[in-house]
Amino acid sequence: MAAAAARVMLLPAARRRLWGFSESLLIRGAAGRSLYFGENRLRSTQAATQVVLNVPETRVTCLESGLRVASEDSGLSTCTVGLWIDAGSRYENEKNNGTAHFLEHMAFKASSVEILADIIQNSTLGEAEIERERGVILREMQEVETNLQEVVFDYLHATAYQNTALGRTILGPTENIKSISRKDLVDYITTHYKGPRIVLAAAGGVSHDELLDLAKFHFGDSLCAHKGEIPALPPCTFTGSEIRVRDDKMPLAHLAIAVEAVGWAHPDTICLMVANTLIGNWDRSFGGGMNLSSKLAQLTCHGNLCHSFQSFNTSYTDTGLWGLYMVCEPATVADMLHVVQKEWMRLCTSVTESEVARAKNLLKTNMLLQLDGSTPICEDIGRQMLCYNRRIPIPELEARIDAVNAETIREVCTKYIYNRSPAIAAVGKPGFFSSMRKVGQVLLINCLLFNP
């Protein structure tokens, strides 16, 4: 097998057709010259479509232990191999919150299937290594606290999924990190590291048959030694609510607003992804003004309402968050929230076919750009095997995106935004809290907004 750059990842229990033109395009430039590039455009589109159709298949084999082996052989000189385990903070409780992340630190980058198997089956979890990684994680927590976007999203999950696993941070509280023992780590491994929850994925220059032989030899039936039933997925209930954190030293307000969305396998997921792309993202370095494709970006740029905003669509197994993160001057928070609400309303009532077509094209392009190299492809295989128990072929995924139209967007957005209470997390000076209070009742996105 080609040399492999391998990695071990612990994933939360869930937590993306090229288009063508049938006629030529004739454009007359400012100097009166005719710029004709329809033929080349059509030829490149046909070539791109052919490339998509020629993507190697993803072969999948399930061992007797339940472990799944999935690979895509693209004939490269190197390959990426990794283990994806359906375990993480979603399966933790208050007492062991942070254990999955701790175990991720105890693992290390390896260079073959043999070492990957050795990591999850024969790790010594020595006390010296545990103490070293304990210090590393505590320093990591300090770094995370300086990243305001991370902080706001932690608060958003805490208020949206109160008293549930998704409401707790991945790193866990400081007291847990200081008290996690070797026994806690071993208990987590024996409870969650079971064959049916593990995927061995590979991409690049890799032979599936050779990978399968290595998996059988190094994993064999050892995973069956972890007796007991696979723990059920703990339910996480969404609560429309808000949390405000005062920080007098902050010159800007950082806030996120989200409604409850759906899990990865839900039929509405693709439509919400297109809607997320329609909202888009923007910051002051973009420029563009009223020529920006995102309507919200046009409004915020024209009114100088924020420094930046970023739409998001975060999916887990059975729930998700769809919303917007923004950084504003305290004085413009109320106006920015009002504009966001109007844009969400527009998605439910009057979004156009041309906007949806542009968003679909952008979504497909971004998804293809992410699959550049063996490592992102390997990660994509691992994630999709955990989420769907298969890897969705690119043509099928493109067909699903193409099936979305303006009417679908309006119906789905109405379903998840109309008359729904959002979750809001905000960090900043107390001055902008009063602005939020003015629109607090309106943030319920109730029927009055759609029928003034």
Side-chain angles (χ1 to χ4, degrees):
M1 179 182 294
R7 68 172 58 181
V8 174
M9 296 187 67
L10 302 177
L11 293 180
R15 273 215 233 278
R16 288 169 208 352
R17 162 170 98 80
L18 293 174
W19 60 100
F21 296 92
S22 58
E23 54 186 283
S24 61
L25 180 63
L26 184 64
I27 296 181
R28 187 167 297 276
R33 293 176 298 173
S34 296
L35 305 178
Y36 178 81
F37 45 163
E39 182 179 352
N40 290 334
R41 182 185 295 254
L42 180 59
R43 186 182 298 118
S44 62
T45 299
Q46 292 172 336
T49 303
Q50 190 63 37
V51 167
V52 169
L53 294 175
N54 288 338
V55 170
E57 68 168 330
T58 301
R59 297 181 61 186
V60 180
T61 305
C62 185
L63 303 185
E64 291 185 6
S65 63
L67 182 144
R68 288 160 290 174
V69 180
S71 69
E72 176 187 298
D73 184 6
S74 57
L76 299 177
S77 58
T78 61
C79 71
T80 301
V81 182
L83 282 173
W84 274 257
I85 306 174
D86 188 9
S89 59
R90 182 70 186 271
Y91 291 94
E92 296 173 345
N93 53 47
E94 285 192 48
K95 293 183 178 180
N96 70 355
N97 182 210
T99 304
H101 181 260
F102 208 119
L103 276 170
E104 185 178 353
H105 272 260
M106 296 300 294
F108 53 88
K109 290 184 177 179
S111 59
S112 72
V113 176
E114 178 181 2
I115 297 181
L116 287 171
D118 191 55
I119 288 173
I120 71 166
Q121 296 176 112
N122 307 310
S123 292
T124 58
L125 300 177
E127 293 296 336
E129 289 83 358
I130 291 175
E131 292 304 317
R132 182 185 66 239
E133 294 306 323
R134 196 190 311 277
V136 172
I137 295 173
L138 290 173
R139 290 192 296 272
E140 181 183 349
M141 294 178 69
Q142 294 176 343
E143 295 176 3
V144 169
E145 290 172 357
T146 64
N147 186 327
L148 290 173
Q149 184 171 347
E150 292 274 1
V151 170
V152 169
F153 273 94
D154 280 345
Y155 281 128
L156 180 66
H157 280 75
T159 192
Y161 299 105
Q162 300 173 24
N163 302 314
T164 68
L166 286 179
R168 294 186 281 268
T169 65
I170 295 175
L171 274 65
T174 302
E175 54 269 25
N176 281 16
I177 302 305
K178 291 182 177 180
S179 63
I180 286 176
S181 65
R182 185 182 186 278
K183 181 180 182 301
D184 296 323
L185 300 176
V186 172
D187 287 346
Y188 193 91
I189 289 175
T190 56
T191 302
H192 297 286
Y193 286 21
K194 301 178 185 294
R197 302 179 72 168
I198 300 177
V199 173
L200 175 63
V206 56
S207 165
H208 183 79
D209 293 334
E210 184 178 348
L211 182 67
L212 187 59
D213 290 339
L214 289 171
K216 290 178 180 178
F217 180 80
H218 294 293
F219 289 96
D221 298 326
S222 59
L223 293 174
C224 299
H226 296 170
K227 301 297 183 181
E229 295 184 359
I230 297 176
L233 185 70
C236 290
T237 304
F238 178 90
T239 302
S241 55
E242 66 177 59
I243 182 170
R244 306 175 187 181
V245 180
R246 173 175 175 170
D247 190 333
D248 294 335
K249 298 179 181 179
M250 290 179 55
L252 300 174
H254 296 250
L255 61 155
I257 175 173
V259 293
E260 184 179 19
V262 296
W264 276 113
H266 196 280
D268 293 335
T269 296
I270 296 294
C271 191
L272 288 173
M273 291 169 65
V274 175
N276 177 63
T277 307
L278 270 166
I279 298 296
N281 61 84
W282 176 84
D283 68 45
R284 288 184 171 181
S285 67
F286 282 12
M290 299 306 292
N291 296 315
L292 295 165
S293 61
S294 166
K295 296 291 185 182
L296 182 58
Q298 293 177 18
L299 294 172
T300 54
C301 179
H302 180 71
N304 196 26
L305 299 180
C306 71
H307 284 235
S308 64
F309 73 80
Q310 177 182 339
S311 61
F312 59 87
N313 179 40
T314 305
S315 293
Y316 300 101
T317 298
D318 53 349
T319 185
L321 294 175
W322 187 94
L324 195 77
Y325 169 80
M326 63 200 88
V327 180
C328 310
E329 299 282 350
T332 64
V333 169
D335 291 336
M336 182 63 188
L337 287 173
H338 180 67
V339 169
V340 170
Q341 293 173 77
K342 289 183 65 177
E343 185 60 15
W344 284 9
M345 290 163 52
R346 200 177 66 82
L347 290 182
C348 299
T349 58
S350 57
V351 66
T352 65
E353 291 290 354
S354 61
E355 292 177 282
V356 174
R358 181 166 53 239
K360 292 192 296 184
N361 289 340
L362 180 57
L363 176 60
K364 290 184 288 187
T365 301
N366 289 339
M367 291 169 61
L368 290 174
L369 288 174
Q370 290 174 6
L371 301 178
D372 182 20
S374 64
T375 298
I377 292 176
C378 184
E379 293 175 354
D380 186 61
I381 294 172
R383 282 194 302 267
Q384 291 204 33
M385 288 300 300
L386 291 183
C387 294
Y388 311 118
N389 198 29
R390 72 185 184 105
R391 189 179 183 211
I392 302 177
I394 293 177
E396 178 185 337
L397 195 53
E398 290 179 344
R400 292 188 180 190
I401 295 174
D402 286 335
V404 176
N405 55 33
E407 182 181 359
T408 314
I409 293 289
R410 291 191 290 266
E411 290 178 354
V412 172
C413 287
T414 299
K415 181 178 179 181
Y416 295 99
I417 299 175
Y418 180 84
N419 204 28
R420 302 294 179 182
S421 297
I424 308 170
V427 179
K429 287 183 178 180
F432 83 90
F433 291 151
S434 58
S435 298
M436 287 185 61
R437 290 192 187 98
K438 296 178 187 177
V439 295
Q441 296 299 320
V442 185
L443 285 173
L444 294 178
I445 318 296
N446 58 31
C447 59
L448 293 177
L449 287 173
F450 297 92
N451 301 285

